[in-house]
Amino acid sequence: MKNIKTMTMEWTGNSLVLIDQRYLPLEEKYVECRNYLDVANSIKDMVVRGAPAIGATAAFGFVLGAKEFSHLSDKNLFLNKLDEVKNSLSKTRPTAVNLFWALNRMDKVLKDSFQNEETNDLVKTLEEEALKIAYEDIEINKQIGKNGETLLNDGDTVLTHCNAGALATVDYGTALGVIRAAVENGKDIQVYADETRPYLQGARLTVWELVKSGIKTTLITDNMAGWVMKQGKINAIIVGADRIARNGDVANKIGTYSVAVLAKRHGIPFYVAAPLSTIDIETKDGEGIPIEERNHNEVRFCHKTRLVPDDVNIYNPAFDVTPNELVTAIITEKKVLRSPYEKNIMEVVTL
C-alpha cells in the first residue's frame, strides 16, 4: 500500500509529517514526527486534533514505536516496549475515542501476528495496518458525506461548530464532508461558522477550509448563534463528535451543547456526523464520557496576547455532552441513525 499525503498528514515511511494546526490560517507550518514520543506530544499539544485524525496519527505513532524498537532480538521485550508505546499514546487526549479505537486495532494486529512473524515483518504488518486506517478514514468520510447530503436542500444555510473538516480527519471531513458532498451534488449551500472559543477552531480552521473550497461562509462569534437562528438564517446544524455513547449522547467541542439547546428552541434540525469508530458502545451514556480539561492559558491568552488578569480563576473543559434528545440524527458511513438511538446504534455496529 502506497504512502499517504493529505492536507492533514503525510506518512513518508520513516516519519509522520503533520500540518501544525496551531498556526493556521496565518502560517502553514509542519511538524515532522520521527518517533512515537513526537507523535504523542503532537496529539497532546494539538498540532493535530479532531477524533478521526487523532486516531490515524496514533496508529502511525504505534508504527514509529515499532520501528524504534525493531532492533531488539528478544521478541517478548519488543512486545513489552510496544505496550509502553500504546500506553504513552493513550494518555494524550482522554475524550476522543478514536484514539483508543486505533491503538486497540493496532495492538490486535500485533498480537495476532506475533507468533508467526519476525520483528521486521511485524513492523511491515503494522505499517500496512496504519495505512489501511488512514485510507479507510477517507472513504468513510466520503460515505458519511453521501449519506448526510440527502438531509440538506438546495439553498440551505448550515451552521457548524468547531472544525469537523479535512483537518479533523485524514481527509474530506465529517460535518464539513456532508457540506462538501451537497455542494459537489450541485446544491447551493451556505455556511455559518461559530468561531469556537477558546481555541478558535471554527474561525481559524473551518473558515480556512471552506474558503479554500469556494464554499460561501460567514463567520460569527459563538454568542451570536442564537440570534442568527431567531432571525431565520439557519436551516440545519451539523457538527462532528469526539465520542458518542451507546445511548446516543454526544461529546463534542465545548459549546456544542449550547448550540443544540438553541436549535431545539428554534425548531432547527441538529445533526451529528461521525464514523462508527467514534461510537463507544462500552460507555452507556454521556455521564461516563471523560471530559478533558485543558491548560488554562488557552483561555488567558489569544496566541501570545494575554486577555485577562493573571489571578482570575479559569475553567477550561475542552468538551461538553449533548443529550440524545437534542440530536435529530447521527450520520454514519452505514446509515443515518435516529431515535431510539441505543437500539439503532447496536444494530448498526453489529452489522
Side-chain angles (χ1 to χ4, degrees):
M1 189 174 293
K2 67 178 182 179
N3 291 344
I4 194 163
K5 183 177 182 180
T6 69
M7 177 192 297
T8 308
M9 65 183 66
E10 178 185 3
W11 174 250
T12 69
N14 294 304
S15 66
L16 180 67
V17 181
L18 300 168
I19 190 167
D20 194 334
Q21 300 187 32
R22 298 170 300 179
Y23 291 93
L24 290 172
L26 302 180
E27 298 179 74
E28 291 188 27
K29 291 186 175 183
Y30 295 86
V31 172
E32 184 171 15
C33 302
R34 296 183 178 273
N35 56 62
Y36 78 94
L37 289 177
D38 288 346
V39 172
N41 289 331
S42 290
I43 296 172
K44 184 178 180 180
D45 295 341
M46 292 180 69
V47 171
V48 62
R49 26 70 54 203
I54 288 172
T57 298
F60 286 117
F62 198 90
V63 176
L64 288 172
K67 287 178 177 287
E68 185 174 343
F69 297 113
S70 62
H71 66 280
L72 296 172
S73 56
D74 185 334
K75 283 181 65 180
N76 288 316
L77 182 56
F78 174 74
L79 191 66
N80 291 338
K81 286 295 184 181
L82 283 191
D83 282 340
E84 293 177 13
V85 170
K86 180 184 176 185
N87 187 50
S88 295
L89 291 167
S90 68
K91 290 180 178 178
T92 52
R93 300 292 304 274
T95 304
V97 75
N98 297 67
L99 169 67
F100 308 99
W101 169 84
L103 289 173
N104 288 338
R105 177 167 162 177
M106 296 295 291
D107 191 56
K108 184 178 186 303
V109 168
L110 172 65
K111 301 293 172 54
D112 288 348
S113 305
F114 183 72
Q115 295 299 331
N116 300 320
E117 295 185 9
E118 294 303 317
T119 301
N120 288 336
D121 292 327
L122 284 171
V123 173
K124 292 177 183 177
T125 298
L126 290 171
E127 184 174 5
E128 285 293 310
E129 192 65 21
L131 286 166
K132 283 181 186 177
I133 288 173
Y135 279 109
E136 285 172 9
D137 181 68
I138 298 171
E139 294 308 310
I140 285 169
N141 294 335
K142 289 181 178 179
Q143 189 59 49
I144 289 171
K146 183 177 179 181
N147 292 342
E149 72 90 13
T150 61
L151 302 171
L152 300 179
N153 299 313
D154 186 31
D156 274 356
T157 297
V158 177
L159 185 142
T160 191
H161 188 76
C162 194
N163 172 263
L167 290 168
T169 63
V170 179
D171 202 10
Y172 202 75
T174 53
L176 296 194
V178 173
I179 294 166
R180 290 185 203 281
V183 171
E184 289 167 3
N185 204 31
K187 295 177 182 177
D188 180 19
I189 303 294
Q190 298 190 46
V191 178
Y192 273 67
D194 284 345
E195 64 175 355
T196 318
R197 282 282 292 151
Y199 221 65
L200 299 174
Q201 293 98 324
R204 295 188 302 105
L205 307 178
T206 292
V207 169
W208 182 73
E209 277 196 46
L210 292 173
V211 169
K212 282 175 72 77
S213 298
I215 296 172
K216 289 175 280 189
T217 305
T218 300
L219 175 65
I220 59 172
T221 62
D222 295 353
N223 52 3
M224 296 176 185
W227 185 241
V228 297
M229 292 184 207
K230 182 175 175 58
Q231 289 179 310
K233 294 180 181 291
I234 307 300
N235 303 107
I237 294 159
I238 309 177
V239 299
D242 283 80
R243 188 184 299 221
I244 300 173
R246 188 170 71 236
N247 74 332
D249 290 349
V250 175
N252 193 50
K253 182 54 55 186
I254 191 73
T256 302
Y257 171 63
S258 302
V259 173
V261 170
L262 289 166
K264 187 75 169 181
R265 170 67 179 85
H266 294 93
I268 299 170
F270 181 90
Y271 300 119
V272 176
L276 291 177
S277 57
T278 301
I279 298 177
D280 178 11
I281 61 172
E282 301 301 318
T283 299
K284 178 182 177 181
D285 56 36
E287 292 296 320
I289 298 176
I291 300 299
E292 174 187 10
E293 183 170 358
R294 291 191 57 80
N295 192 303
H296 293 177
N297 283 339
E298 292 179 1
V299 177
R300 285 195 175 97
F301 290 82
C302 184
H303 290 287
K304 297 180 180 180
T305 302
R306 184 163 62 86
L307 303 175
V308 300
D310 280 334
D311 55 355
V312 68
N313 291 327
I314 301 289
Y315 179 48
N316 187 26
F319 305 96
D320 56 28
V321 177
T322 298
N324 60 16
E325 62 265 25
L326 298 180
V327 178
T328 306
I330 300 171
I331 307 163
T332 75
E333 67 269 30
K334 292 288 186 183
K335 62 191 295 187
V336 176
L337 304 175
R338 297 182 185 270
S339 183
Y341 284 110
E342 184 160 352
K343 173 180 178 293
N344 291 328
I345 283 172
M346 293 308 295
E347 284 179 358
V348 76
V349 297
T350 55
L351 286 177

